Amino acid sequence: MNQYKAVVAGCGSMANTWIDYIKTRENADIIALVDVNVEAAQSMADRQGLEVPCYMDLSQALADTGGNLVIDVTIPAAHKQVVTTALRSGYHVIGEKPIAETLEDAKEVVETAEKTGKNYSIMQNRRYTKQIRTLRQLLADNKIGKIGSIHADFFIGPRFGGFREEMDSPLLVDMAIHTFDQARFLTGADAVFVYCHEYNPPGSWYEGNASAICIFEMSDGSVFSYRGSWCADGHKTSWDADWRITGTKGSAIWDGETSPVLEIKDPSKPAEFIHPVQIETAENLWTGKEGHAGCLDEMFAALEENRFAETDCRDNIKSMEMVFGALESAKTGKKVMLSH
């Protein structure tokens, strides 16, 4: 008998990625599909070759099927209801970001996970590339010394259509958490203060603010700056942003796609006006899977080992606080202190 019996909530296109992964696991089965449009659930079942019941109501699906895991691939507005319903019904949950649409709702979800004793882990697939895992290890190994600042540029112009183009703050609410979470992942530090200016530049096809500049003061004393736009045509960055990290021994850059490159002060040469450096291109140190599969491997490992996943809600809430702190700062025009 398979250990994990999963109910999938949300049957849009992203659900295919999660279902494809679950089908590769020997210790997991999908036992039901749920969608507000039951025809979408049935269509997904047919497309994926799943002979499982389809529901419009999650509570009914959980009561009928007797599983132990909910996969939340619904839209952000539904996350709070889906996750709390599942947790209170005795199910573990793994799902797409964000935890909720507001920080207050996200905190309530985390409290529910703590009260029920169930795991709730959030997809942060951008932690799982060989380049970022390698860069993180090099930073942890003190390769460039104590980190003083970390900078990320994110400039892409996607035409999504749909709910993103109608959101008040599409970049900060729907995308920036990836980059903010990456900064925490790379440094091992949490944000303490933030100042943010949010705006919607000329030519934007979004109704809300699709661009932002943020400055975060981190718990290790470093500063993290973020410049981002979701309506920038030309000279696009990668979806993993473009990074520069400075330390006491040198600097690291990473374009989000190729191997990180380090320039480290050459100890064999005397200091000059510009200190001579040694250039090193990082060799891959990561042997795990990448993207969704890498994060899902960690989520299931956490369940199997009865521990919190790397992207457990108790950790991910700190990345969400960066998002909502930035939103508050942009609204008030003031530096905002973040609570943990």
Side-chain angles (χ1 to χ4, degrees), residues 1 13 17 29 35 49 95 98 105 208 211-212 218 232 242 263 278 301 317 335:
M1 181 181 294
S13 59
T17 299
D29 273 331
D35 197 279
D105 283 349
S211 299
M218 307 298 284
D242 187 76
E263 289 195 351
Q278 299 171 328
I317 191 73
K335 184 167 77 170

Side-chain angles (χ1 to χ4, degrees), residues 233-276:
D233 290 322
H235 291 294
K236 67 180 287 294
T237 64
S238 77
W239 285 88
D240 281 324
D242 187 76
W243 298 81
R244 174 184 290 268
I245 306 168
T246 65
T248 54
K249 296 181 182 178
S251 297
I253 60 171
W254 177 47
D255 63 7
E257 294 177 337
T258 58
S259 296
V261 178
L262 285 64
E263 289 195 351
I264 303 167
K265 288 190 289 187
D266 189 340
S268 68
K269 296 181 179 178
E272 299 177 8
F273 181 66
I274 302 294
H275 202 300

Side-chain angles (χ1 to χ4, degrees), residues 12-301:
S13 59
M14 179 55 72
N16 286 291
T17 299
W18 292 72
I19 292 172
D20 287 343
Y21 173 87
I22 297 296
K23 289 165 68 174
T24 69
R25 294 193 68 92
E26 295 181 353
N27 66 343
D29 273 331
I30 294 167
I31 60 171
L33 299 177
V34 182
D35 197 279
V36 291
N37 178 2
V38 73
E39 288 80 12
Q42 188 59 58
S43 177
M44 178 65 74
D46 295 341
R47 185 164 56 252
Q48 286 283 351
L50 299 171
E51 295 183 2
V52 298
C54 297
Y55 296 84
M56 291 180 62
D57 181 73
L58 177 62
S59 295
Q60 190 65 51
L62 301 183
D64 287 354
T65 54
N68 54 14
L69 176 65
V70 165
I71 298 171
D72 178 19
V73 207
T74 59
I75 64 172
H79 287 183
K80 178 187 176 184
Q81 180 180 1
V82 167
V83 174
T84 55
T85 297
L87 293 172
R88 289 166 181 159
S89 299
Y91 283 66
H92 296 296
V93 184
I94 58 178
E96 283 290 343
K97 54 81 185 167
I99 298 173
E101 283 196 313
T102 69
L103 185 58
E104 291 72 20
D105 283 349
K107 288 179 177 179
E108 184 178 330
V109 173
V110 174
E111 289 173 2
T112 303
E114 292 178 339
K115 289 177 181 178
T116 60
K118 296 298 178 181
N119 282 25
Y120 171 37
S121 301
I122 297 87
M123 175 56 64
Q124 293 290 174
N125 55 305
R126 299 186 189 282
R127 286 188 177 211
Y128 290 87
T129 68
K130 59 180 179 292
Q131 295 94 349
I132 197 169
R133 306 297 292 200
T134 295
L135 179 55
R136 183 204 189 200
Q137 186 61 57
L138 293 173
L139 297 175
D141 290 343
N142 205 39
K143 198 71 174 179
I144 65 168
K146 180 176 173 56
I147 295 173
S149 60
I150 179 168
H151 310 278
D153 282 347
F154 178 89
F155 292 93
I156 301 181
R159 271 76 171 174
F160 289 110
F163 71 92
R164 291 179 179 85
E165 294 187 6
E166 299 172 359
M167 295 172 67
D168 290 336
S169 303
L171 178 71
L172 286 178
V173 171
D174 193 57
M175 185 64 207
I177 191 170
H178 282 301
T179 315
F180 295 173
D181 186 73
Q182 286 174 304
R184 289 184 54 240
F185 173 70
L186 285 169
T187 62
D190 297 324
V192 179
F193 291 96
V194 59
Y195 176 79
C196 173
H197 176 68
E198 186 187 32
Y199 61 104
N200 203 30
S204 171
W205 48 95
Y206 294 82
E207 292 182 19
N209 290 321
S211 299
I213 298 172
C214 305
I215 302 171
F216 292 93
E217 297 173 38
M218 307 298 284
S219 58
D220 64 353
S222 65
V223 172
F224 165 49
S225 73
Y226 171 84
R227 302 187 301 176
S229 177
W230 241 0
C231 57
D233 290 322
H235 291 294
K236 67 180 287 294
T237 64
S238 77
W239 285 88
D240 281 324
D242 187 76
W243 298 81
R244 174 184 290 268
I245 306 168
T246 65
T248 54
K249 296 181 182 178
S251 297
I253 60 171
W254 177 47
D255 63 7
E257 294 177 337
T258 58
S259 296
V261 178
L262 285 64
E263 289 195 351
I264 303 167
K265 288 190 289 187
D266 189 340
S268 68
K269 296 181 179 178
E272 299 177 8
F273 181 66
I274 302 294
H275 202 300
V277 295
Q278 299 171 328
I279 301 175
E280 297 183 18
T281 300
E283 295 184 7
N284 178 33
L285 302 175
W286 174 247
T287 58
K289 296 176 185 175
E290 294 188 284
H292 271 67
C295 194
L296 281 162
D297 274 356
E298 162 63 7
M299 290 173 171
F300 273 94

